[in-house]
Amino acid sequence: MPHPASSPPQSPRSVAIVGAGIVGMSAAHFLSRAGWQVTVYDAGAPASGATGSADGAVSIASKKPGPLMTLAVAAVRFYEHLTETGILGDEYLPRSTFVVASDQEELGVLERHASHLEASGVSIRLLKGAALTGAIGAAAPSAIAAVEVQGEGHAVGYRVVERLRRLGGFPIRRNCRVSGFNFSKGRIVGVVTEDGVEPTDAVLLATGLGSASFLSGLGPIRPRKGQLIVTDRAGADAPSFPGPLMSCRYLVSKGSQAAPGVTESRSLGLVIDPLRTGQFLIGGSREDRDDRETTDADVVATLLRDAVELAPSLAQLRVIRVFAGLRAATSDGLPIVGRVGGAENLWIATGFEGDGICLGPLMGRLCQQMICGEPVAHDISSLDAARFGLSLATAA
Amino acid sequence: MSAEVLVIGGGPAGASAALHLARAGLHVTLCEQGPRLGGALHRQPDDPAQRIRVPRAQSQRWRALSTALEASSVQILCRHMFAGIEGGGTVLLEDRASGRLVTRRPAALVLALGAVERVTPLPGWQLPGVTTVGGLQVMMKSTGQAPDGDVLVAGSGPLLLALAAQMAALGKAPVAVLERSPKLVSPSVIASLITAPAYLREASHYLLALARAGALPQHGTWVRAISPRDGRLAVTIVDRHGRDRELVVDRVALHDGLLPNQNGTAAPSNGPFVVRAGDCREVLGGVAAMADGRHAAKAVLAHLGRSTEAEPSATRVLSRERRAQAAINALYDYSGADPAWLPDETVICRCEGRTLGQLRDLLASSDPVSAREIKLNGRFGMGACQGRFCAEWVAAFIAAQRDGEPPAVSEIIGSRWPVKPVPISAFVTLPPSRPSE
Ligand SMILES: Cc1cc2nc3c(=O)[nH]c(=O)nc-3n(C[C@H](O)[C@H](O)[C@H](O)COP(=O)(O)OP(=O)(O)OC[C@H]3O[C@@H](n4cnc5c(N)ncnc54)[C@H](O)[C@@H]3O)c2cc1C
Ligand SMILES: Cc1cc2nc3c(=O)[nH]c(=O)nc-3n(C[C@H](O)[C@H](O)[C@H](O)COP(=O)(O)OP(=O)(O)OC[C@H]3O[C@@H](n4cnc5c(N)ncnc54)[C@H](O)[C@@H]3O)c2cc1C
């Protein structure tokens, strides 16, 4: 559902991008390449939001069947494309993800999810017996089955942002919160910050959790906290992990597959992610809380108990850091990408919850296409802000 | 039952705080990560028969304190490492003997973690065989033996003198002691130390021992670089006339001053009342640490609504020691090698092997990159030590590159728990607080 920008003003046209997370920085890159004069504003610094406190699964394995899974397939291809064209350097690391079942109940969930992945055209391998032992037996001896999801990978959100910053072409205003806009004839004509008002021809809100303050009505965007654990490096004699191990329970925790009786405000889903540095990132929780400064021993210990149960060799490592991040979650689990009522030249891309590292670059590209009035390469009608009746808060 | 107070750190500050809290009738637990109490200054040997000589007044002070502590009701837990205060306000302790993580919810927490040793980067400081002066001293105090081979001691501060003299007393004086500061003890410093004559006595003993061993400190001399050579270390030394010379040794011990240990000890609002004591509050030395422990005890008692007596003598000791430390520090030069001279290959973060070139590169653009971006993308402060050994230097370097815009060290150094790496095998011993799904 492309929306051409009405009556494009004289070039070079200027666009203000609010938010220097992976989504805003990707959009900035593509808009700048498309000849726009781009300014990025961030209340903190690049990647100071969710992008800087995330894992980096560029992954289809955990996606909910439906539009999100379809878009994730396209998003992974887009990472490959950005790698081939040199834009991302070597920030994207292709690798398989292993979704692991440890008991019969989990096996049921695994088989159901595998069929959804296949239906979306994802290449998978169901591993049992000798194939299972050969692939992940050393890492996860007690697994009874696994699905290897092929053709996906990993990218560190803040490193992608740094790469795009270095490619440059636009200024970034750090510590510069956008508090509102100036309007004329139904259009935004100025961005209001502490430093004054700067004129602009278009605005993209890529403000993650900060988006709520720009929107009227009860915000559909809620913080969903995640806690992650970083270990030290594994020794040379440690069993090798061919890719991240994701417990089937993770799918349930993420809401990608249903399971009876999981309704609490906190859920834990285990992912053991071997990083390029030789360290592991172990996550994560999903909690309806908004404090990103604190991390709890209870959550950490529970995750680690599950981790060691699945991969006993982890017990030899040490925790060097625990951190938390806040995902911007929507009530229907889908991002919000498109126009916002209240101004003709305003777009939004937010609500990526736990999928924004994967989807971010592609969404930045699609935002550029929308703002340029070009055809949009993928169907994102299900992400339209109209489903929540969103419009710009007048008091902004 | 009285409220529990947890004291962390079995040095003079922690021991003194614990003793005074117990005397006031509180239920006190004292945790020390090492196998014995004593801290950095009064570290006790593994084998009591193998003990290195320390000034008599110093050992008497500790003996008096530790005897009183033993007679008190303080519960002492050695090999217990304070791992931090987690988000729910619970204190985490790693019991290193049993390999378990245990939790406590004390009414108050006294942090007496001591100081961390500063070493400023120079080419080759990450090589095996290069240690800190304090590290070498800990080894000597524990084993009662001086290290084998030729040792070079370099950097700045009174600790150089103490280590070198202790080595000389064991018959193995360092091959050279290089003190960066060109200053010698002056009459004005002696004048300001008159109220703390123990330091003068200690210094003169050390100097005498070193003079006898022919290893007096060479002032105005510093190490430019260290490189490996045939299993030993080739050290380029700059003398006070700016001339280079080379010395080949087996070990190099470096030191550039002490800083309060504040890593990872941020206290959440729902946690216990937290007071710091001793060198981890302000680096003032062992005598001040004992007095500061009394101050910390008083603050805890006041917080718990107990009546307390004023501590005029502790306050007096602290201000006297503060003056003495200021006078001593004026003699030293803790700045380390001028970063402008350091080659790009110089390792800055030894945990992650990150170099000065990588730091310079991050700062090269006109973009005012934030400290957090430098941390994330440069990985400075991201390694196992979480910035304990490089954050302060990196922050100062950034500040120097950007005149007048110093970033907060806290943006690089971790304020999170765990304070130090904790084995996963210890975490999994925490009992689940609720039935798992
Ligand atoms: C623990 C955790 C693990 C995750 N793991 C993964 C994963 O493995 N794979 C994956 O794909 N995704 C993962 N995610 C999700 C991913 O991190 C996010 O979806 C993604 O980073 C969102 O990017 P963004 O650019 O939309 O938002 P953000 O990165 O939050 O950026 C928004 C920016 O807007 C700025 N801002 C807000 N308001 C204003 C204002 N008024 N003025 C100026 N600036 C403003 C903020 O300062 C911020 O920098 C994870 C998230 C968390 C928390
Ligand atoms: C390496 C070094 C060498 C020194 N050598 C001399 C010297 O030769 N002469 C001199 O006059 N002064 C010396 N000092 C200074 C002197 O030791 C201090 O001023 C004095 O010991 C301060 O006492 P304190 O109780 O504050 O700390 P310390 O004596 O350092 O005691 C702190 C204690 O806390 C423990 N600890 C730290 N972290 C944790 C944790 N997370 N969990 C549990 N326990 C923990 C440590 O193991 C230590 O036992 C030295 C300092 C250092 C750091």
Side-chain angles (χ1 to χ4, degrees):
Chain A
M1 198 163 56
H3 297 279
S6 48
S7 57
Q10 315 306 330
S11 56
R13 293 162 300 175
S14 64
V15 57
I17 297 179
V18 192
I22 194 166
V23 175
M25 288 293 280
S26 300
H29 173 82
F30 294 115
L31 280 161
S32 157
R33 293 296 139 114
W36 287 64
Q37 195 186 311
V38 177
T39 306
V40 178
Y41 298 85
D42 201 288
S48 56
T51 302
S53 39
D55 190 4
V58 176
S59 169
I60 305 152
S62 67
K63 298 298 179 278
K64 196 173 184 161
L68 206 55
M69 197 181 267
T70 311
L71 281 170
V73 172
V76 174
R77 298 293 160 267
F78 195 60
Y79 262 97
E80 291 167 358
H81 165 75
L82 293 178
T83 304
E84 282 155 19
T85 52
I87 292 173
L88 274 189
D90 66 351
E91 294 304 340
Y92 175 64
L93 174 73
R95 63 177 198 191
S96 295
T97 301
F98 295 83
V99 188
V100 183
S102 298
D103 58 31
Q104 288 303 322
E105 195 190 337
E106 289 185 14
L107 185 59
V109 175
L110 183 71
E111 283 172 341
R112 195 151 23 110
H113 194 63
S115 65
H116 285 130
L117 286 166
E118 268 189 317
S120 296
V122 180
S123 131
I124 61 164
R125 222 160 49 111
L126 185 61
L127 302 173
K128 286 184 174 168
L132 177 73
T133 313
I136 60 164
S142 64
I144 61 165
V147 165
E148 176 183 354
V149 184
Q150 297 169 327
E152 49 182 46
H154 189 264
V156 178
Y158 59 76
R159 293 190 57 104
V160 171
V161 163
E162 172 67 1
R163 173 85 191 167
L164 297 170
R165 180 190 76 83
R166 282 176 175 251
L167 290 175
F170 50 87
I172 303 167
R173 301 276 160 78
R174 290 173 177 78
N175 302 314
C176 191
R177 177 179 296 281
V178 172
S179 58
F181 304 105
N182 282 355
F183 298 86
S184 170
K185 303 193 189 102
R187 298 176 62 83
I188 293 177
V189 293
V191 175
V192 183
T193 73
E194 259 180 23
D195 304 334
V197 181
E198 290 181 37
T200 190
D201 299 322
V203 172
L204 171 66
L205 290 176
T207 33
L209 259 186
S211 307
S213 67
F214 290 100
L215 304 171
S216 68
L218 260 184
I221 300 167
R222 295 283 155 76
R224 187 154 293 159
K225 175 173 172 170
Q227 303 189 33
L228 294 176
I229 302 156
V230 188
T231 72
D232 57 1
R233 290 178 169 78
D237 54 339
S240 86
F241 284 67
L245 304 185
M246 183 182 289
S247 130
C248 260
R249 260 192 281 170
Y250 179 83
L251 301 175
V252 176
S253 134
K254 205 179 175 195
S256 301
Q257 292 292 342
V262 183
T263 48
E264 53 182 322
S265 66
R266 174 181 117 183
S267 67
L268 302 177
L270 176 68
V271 180
I272 303 168
D273 198 344
L275 301 179
R276 277 202 234 199
T277 55
Q279 298 166 286
F280 287 84
L281 198 61
I282 300 172
S285 64
R286 287 171 190 276
E287 305 161 70
D288 293 326
R289 283 167 58 178
D290 68 352
D291 54 326
R292 73 174 266 194
E293 299 309 322
T294 63
T295 52
D296 313 305
D298 184 27
V299 168
V300 170
T302 307
L303 283 167
L304 290 176
R305 267 193 300 273
D306 291 353
V308 168
E309 204 179 314
L310 184 61
S313 66
L314 293 176
Q316 298 155 20
L317 301 183
R318 299 181 303 167
V319 174
I320 68 165
R321 177 165 71 246
V322 180
F323 65 92
L326 300 178
R327 311 172 183 95
T330 62
S331 49
D332 62 3
L334 289 177
I336 300 170
V337 182
R339 281 189 179 257
V340 190
E344 278 174 34
N345 54 346
L346 173 65
W347 285 265
I348 193 167
T350 185
F352 293 96
E353 201 183 338
D355 302 316
I357 305 302
C358 175
L359 298 176
L362 178 65
M363 291 301 149
R365 174 77 166 143
L366 302 187
C367 285
Q368 172 258 310
Q369 291 171 339
M370 284 193 291
I371 292 170
C372 290
E374 294 170 7
V376 176
H378 297 277
D379 177 13
I380 51 168
S381 53
S382 57
L383 311 186
D384 202 288
R387 73 187 193 278
F388 294 118
L390 292 184
S391 65
L392 199 60
T394 42
Chain B
M1 218 190 75
S2 67
E4 187 195 17
V5 181
L6 203 54
V7 180
I8 313 292
S16 146
L19 178 65
H20 286 86
L21 287 163
R23 282 185 177 162
L26 294 183
H27 171 41
V28 183
T29 307
L30 174 62
C31 295
E32 164 58 43
Q33 62 189 4
R36 282 172 295 276
L37 301 185
L41 188 55
H42 305 292
R43 180 172 294 271
Q44 301 302 303
D46 296 335
D47 171 0
Q50 302 275 328
R51 176 187 296 276
I52 69 166
R53 272 218 304 279
V54 296
R56 179 160 337 118
Q58 195 174 302
S59 51
Q60 279 170 347
R61 259 197 311 277
W62 176 251
R63 201 169 320 121
L65 180 57
S66 56
T67 309
L69 199 61
E70 265 161 41
S72 75
S73 63
V74 174
Q75 190 200 358
I76 297 169
L77 297 176
C78 286
R79 293 198 171 88
H80 276 64
M81 188 198 80
F82 166 69
I85 312 169
E86 57 89 56
T90 300
V91 174
L92 302 175
L93 303 173
E94 181 200 343
D95 175 349
R96 289 177 162 177
S98 72
R100 303 178 76 83
L101 203 60
V102 291
T103 58
R104 294 284 181 116
R105 290 210 64 111
L109 178 69
V110 178
L111 294 178
L113 311 174
V116 287
E117 208 177 353
R118 256 182 102 241
V119 177
T120 56
L122 55 88
W125 71 317
Q126 77 283 4
L127 292 168
V130 182
T131 56
T132 64
V133 164
L136 211 55
Q137 198 185 38
V138 163
M139 192 272 264
M140 279 169 50
K141 285 185 178 176
S142 305
T143 63
Q145 315 265 333
D148 287 332
D150 295 339
V151 180
L152 174 70
V153 177
S156 195
L159 211 51
L160 268 55
L161 211 58
L163 174 80
Q166 285 155 351
M167 289 174 65
L170 293 170
K172 289 186 185 160
V175 291
V177 181
L178 312 183
E179 168 55 59
R180 170 180 291 277
S181 166
K183 291 175 213 143
L184 299 165
V185 182
S186 65
S188 73
V189 169
I190 294 178
S192 22
L193 284 176
I194 286 296
T195 51
Y199 291 108
L200 288 176
R201 261 201 309 277
E202 197 177 329
S204 52
H205 278 138
Y206 290 158
L207 287 169
L208 208 62
L210 289 177
R212 271 197 225 112
L216 277 173
Q218 302 170 35
H219 281 259
T221 313
W222 48 281
V223 172
R224 187 197 293 289
I226 309 170
S227 55
R229 167 142 355 131
D230 307 330
R232 304 185 80 201
L233 296 167
V235 186
T236 310
I237 293 165
V238 185
D239 72 14
R240 92 196 123 89
H241 309 292
R243 284 185 305 240
D244 281 11
R245 73 187 151 98
E246 197 184 72
L247 203 61
V248 180
V249 296
D250 298 294
R251 271 174 203 267
V252 180
L254 300 173
H255 174 87
D256 298 292
L258 297 171
L259 287 173
N261 177 1
Q262 299 192 320
N263 224 20
T265 51
S269 53
N270 53 355
F273 175 71
V274 179
V275 203
R276 296 175 163 274
D279 274 8
C280 98
R281 190 186 60 74
E282 184 180 1
V283 178
L284 292 177
V287 173
M290 284 189 192
D292 209 34
R294 281 182 2 235
H295 264 298
K298 185 166 147 17
V300 169
L301 292 168
H303 171 78
L304 297 177
R306 307 288 181 106
S307 66
T308 60
E309 290 157 31
E311 289 274 9
S313 69
T315 308
R316 234 180 359 257
V317 170
L318 280 173
S319 38
R320 186 191 69 209
E321 294 297 311
R322 193 174 285 122
R323 272 196 310 275
Q325 289 294 326
I328 293 171
N329 283 328
L331 288 172
Y332 295 101
D333 174 0
Y334 300 125
S335 61
D338 180 353
W341 287 39
L342 292 175
D344 276 350
E345 310 76 65
T346 311
V347 170
I348 301 302
C349 159
R350 288 176 295 178
C351 300
E352 297 281 297
R354 306 299 290 175
T355 65
L356 183 56
Q358 287 162 325
L359 180 55
R360 284 188 174 131
D361 183 43
L362 280 164
L363 290 164
S365 71
S366 56
D367 213 10
V369 176
S370 65
R372 188 179 145 85
E373 289 166 87
I374 289 167
K375 170 175 178 157
L376 288 178
N377 297 302
R379 301 192 63 76
F380 298 100
M382 298 272 275
C385 89
Q386 291 288 288
R388 193 186 306 260
F389 299 113
C390 72
E392 182 252 353
W393 194 90
V394 170
F397 183 82
I398 298 170
Q401 304 296 302
R402 308 234 172 95
D403 7 81
E405 228 189 297
V409 175
S410 62
E411 283 186 76
I412 298 170
I413 204 154
S415 61
R416 307 181 175 105
W417 67 276
V419 167
K420 289 183 193 172
V422 173
I424 290 179
S425 56
F427 263 108
V428 302
T429 66
L430 268 189
S433 68
R434 57 198 186 102
S436 55
E437 305 101 300

